[in-house]
Amino acid sequence: MPFPFTLPTTSSISFPDFFSSSTHPSLPLTATSRRAVLRSALKSHKRLPSSSRASNLPSILAALNDYIPYLFALDAGVSGIPVAGEEIDVVLVKELQVEWRVVLSATTPGRESPRVKLKSLDSEVFFVLSTLGYTYCLLARAQLHTLALQNASSTSTEQRAGAIAGAMKNLIAANSVFTYLVARSQHNQPPASVPDISQAVLSGLASMTLAEATLITVLKDDPYPAVVSEQRNKESKDWMFKNPDIPKVRAHLFARLCLAAAEHASRAQGMLGNGGGTKVDADLLEYCDDLKRTAKAKACRFFGIDTELEGKTGEGIAWLRGAKKELGFTGGSDEDKRKFGAFSKLKKDWAEKREDKRIEKGGEWGGDAGRFEEGRVIEMLEKKWVKENDTVNVQLIPQYEPLVANMPSGREYHTPKPYQAPTLDEDIIAQMRAPPDPNDIAYQTVDDDSDAEESQSEPVGAFPGTKDQYSASTSSYY
């Protein structure tokens, strides 16, 4: 958590070939140079190993923020909208043609997603802003990575609060971007055949990021994941001399927030399942399902904590078993154990270890939306409460189905602000009144087609996706 998006790449274009401006003739060329920087940054980011991409995200964000104001200036000029109080006349010379690589469409395993040809400036706006939303989500992932490590208990309270606040801010920014694109798509309908910028997928991404931001709100004051991380930290010796300190939490409020997150995740799953008429990546759909399960299980856990604090340990255990059922793990009742058996537990343990390795390597972790981590918290509490109930309280454990079925509605926490399209400053607009300089580097740089080297065929006999491991000296038979 959040979802590990892949940033798209794009082809090279020259805006002066498609647009001209009598009032600000330097605008198309300047926009071209800014876009070339972004394109180069995206290509370089794609070539980095997965463990090194997080540190490169600020450069991607900077390139996007440098290019987007010029892109919106072109769009405003074509639409006859003033920029910084100044009229910009932009004339369409011929229809814009650009290519972007889709990253959310379902593809054949082992093959890279294809590039799609687009023929409007609106499509360029949709893809660039979608890339901005993906970047905000990836920045939130990078900030939360330290909290997912097994030694996260060594993180100070200030560092933990800073990481969570930064991640929440980035997710809210991503939600604002996707919500803006949804509103824009109602007036400028993007191509229905491209799932990445279809209205259904953009709506799903907006709901998904809002669900993630709501869950992070709960994570800020939830002490139990840190306790589980401390218990699993092999280097920690605190268990020898003290019990973990678990402060009281506003359990009922947190449960309502988690239910709101589950509702947003369910809505995202439904919208992404539509996909605008095309199939969306199965990993994204599975992530939304895990996100919904995790949010609902957290709600059950907090309802259980609330009842346990009132002395109703038996009902609290029932809530925990309902939470395990929501996660899709083996429940605590004898019927569940007979139904699922030991194989289900073995499969779950293997999946948890695989996810732990991904977290330690810093690669494509978090595809389970925190589902395994929540399962560990629930198992810790269930073991503790069952022991107390068997030795002290001796209360009957009711069935969890009626409890889960009668949960209240969710409660919203965030009120995201709409994304404000950035505009160029007046002095920059004034500078572009001058005609373009023929000696400008943007005129002289011949940019090759996007990912040209990546479109080459795989070496003979190579496993798909491993052509980078083959060099010219090793490609021949002799």
Side-chain angles (χ1 to χ4, degrees):
M1 191 180 77
F3 182 74
F5 287 102
T6 300
L7 296 183
T9 53
T10 181
S11 64
S12 61
I13 60 173
S14 176
F15 282 121
D17 295 339
F18 305 97
F19 301 98
S20 66
S21 176
S22 58
T23 58
H24 299 77
S26 295
L27 175 60
L29 182 63
T30 308
T32 299
S33 62
R34 301 287 181 173
R35 189 184 188 278
V37 173
L38 172 62
R39 174 183 170 274
S40 178
L42 290 173
K43 287 184 63 177
S44 301
H45 182 82
K46 183 178 180 180
R47 294 169 180 167
L48 292 174
S50 57
S51 58
S52 303
R53 290 174 184 170
S55 59
N56 189 56
L57 289 173
S59 64
I60 300 294
L61 183 62
L64 283 165
N65 289 331
D66 286 344
Y67 168 55
I68 288 175
Y70 292 92
L71 177 61
F72 273 103
L74 277 176
D75 182 63
V78 172
S79 304
I81 301 175
V83 178
E86 188 169 342
E87 295 288 341
I88 297 180
D89 180 31
V90 177
V91 178
L92 181 66
V93 177
K94 62 179 180 179
E95 192 174 27
L96 176 67
Q97 295 183 358
V98 64
E99 294 183 4
W100 279 87
R101 188 175 298 280
V102 294
V103 294
L104 299 183
S105 61
T107 57
T108 304
R111 291 185 177 272
E112 191 173 24
S113 56
R115 288 191 299 177
V116 293
K117 295 182 179 180
L118 307 167
K119 293 185 177 181
S120 67
L121 187 62
D122 280 326
S123 298
E124 172 77 2
V125 173
F126 275 95
F127 259 101
V128 170
L129 289 186
S130 295
T131 305
L132 178 64
Y134 304 154
T135 303
Y136 279 129
C137 291
L138 293 175
L139 285 169
R141 276 175 53 83
Q143 291 166 322
L144 292 176
H145 182 236
T146 55
L147 305 183
L149 296 172
Q150 291 190 17
N151 59 353
S153 56
S154 59
T155 305
S156 65
T157 305
E158 292 77 11
Q159 292 174 333
R160 176 182 173 84
I164 292 175
M168 188 188 305
K169 179 181 178 181
N170 284 318
L171 286 173
I172 291 298
N175 173 264
S176 298
V177 171
F178 291 130
T179 303
Y180 169 84
L181 291 177
V182 172
R184 186 184 177 99
S185 65
Q186 296 175 358
H187 305 285
N188 305 292
Q189 188 68 31
S193 59
V194 184
D196 294 46
I197 57 176
S198 65
Q199 186 175 8
V201 171
L202 292 172
S203 298
L205 294 177
S207 297
M208 186 186 74
T209 50
L210 186 56
E212 292 168 338
T214 305
L215 282 186
I216 290 181
T217 305
V218 176
L219 177 63
K220 180 177 61 174
D221 297 318
D222 186 5
Y224 293 93
V227 173
V228 173
S229 178
E230 176 70 20
Q231 292 178 351
R232 297 177 61 245
N233 185 10
K234 298 179 180 179
E235 299 179 358
S236 176
K237 305 299 181 183
D238 288 349
W239 60 272
M240 293 182 177
F241 54 88
K242 73 170 185 176
N243 292 324
D245 296 327
I246 304 179
K248 291 184 178 181
V249 297
R250 295 167 291 174
H252 196 272
L253 172 61
F254 290 169
R256 296 282 301 276
L257 294 176
C258 291
L259 287 175
E263 293 171 2
H264 291 305
S266 179
R267 189 178 303 112
Q269 186 180 13
M271 298 299 294
L272 292 171
N274 294 332
T278 57
K279 290 186 177 180
V280 178
D281 185 17
D283 291 340
L284 181 58
L285 292 175
E286 185 178 356
Y287 172 84
C288 286
D289 182 63
D290 287 342
L291 183 64
K292 178 185 65 176
R293 289 175 176 271
T294 302
K296 203 165 184 181
K298 282 181 180 289
C300 292
R301 169 164 67 90
F302 283 118
F303 280 129
I305 293 173
D306 188 49
T307 56
E308 196 274 338
L309 291 174
E310 296 176 357
K312 303 176 183 179
T313 307
E315 185 177 338
I317 295 172
W319 275 113
L320 294 182
R321 292 178 177 176
K324 292 176 69 174
K325 187 70 173 181
E326 292 294 336
L327 289 175
F329 300 148
T330 305
S333 64
D334 294 336
E335 181 182 355
D336 289 332
K337 292 178 181 177
R338 287 194 302 268
K339 182 177 179 180
F340 296 97
F343 178 75
S344 178
K345 185 177 186 305
L346 180 64
K347 181 180 178 181
K348 170 178 168 293
D349 293 342
W350 178 77
E352 286 182 358
K353 291 180 180 179
R354 185 175 60 176
E355 180 65 18
D356 289 340
K357 290 181 180 179
R358 290 174 179 171
I359 293 175
E360 293 297 329
K361 292 180 180 179
E364 300 300 325
W365 63 277
D368 66 327
R371 179 166 162 255
F372 292 129
E373 179 191 37
E374 182 61 24
R376 289 176 177 134
V377 174
I378 292 171
E379 287 178 353
M380 177 199 73
L381 286 175
E382 184 185 18
K383 182 179 179 180
K384 176 184 177 182
W385 292 355
V386 167
K387 184 177 180 180
E388 292 178 356
N389 192 56
D390 291 344
T391 58
V392 181
N393 296 319
V394 193
Q395 297 180 7
L396 293 177
I397 302 176
Q399 297 294 322
Y400 60 79
E401 288 85 355
L403 298 175
V404 176
N406 294 319
M407 285 193 295
S409 60
R411 177 176 174 178
E412 297 293 343
Y413 181 84
H414 295 290
T415 306
K417 297 180 180 179
Y419 175 76
Q420 297 293 331
T423 58
L424 294 173
D425 296 333
E426 295 181 4
D427 55 342
I428 297 179
I429 293 291
Q431 292 174 7
M432 287 187 292
R433 297 174 189 164
D437 185 2
N439 297 322
D440 194 289
I441 188 172
Y443 268 127
Q444 314 208 359
T445 301
V446 179
D447 210 357
D448 60 342
D449 191 18
S450 175
D451 303 334
E453 73 285 352
E454 298 167 8
S455 62
Q456 299 174 0
S457 60
E458 300 279 353
V460 178
F463 190 80
T466 61
K467 68 177 180 350
D468 293 339
Q469 302 178 12
Y470 295 82
S471 61
S473 61
T474 61
S475 61
S476 62
Y477 291 103
Y478 305 99

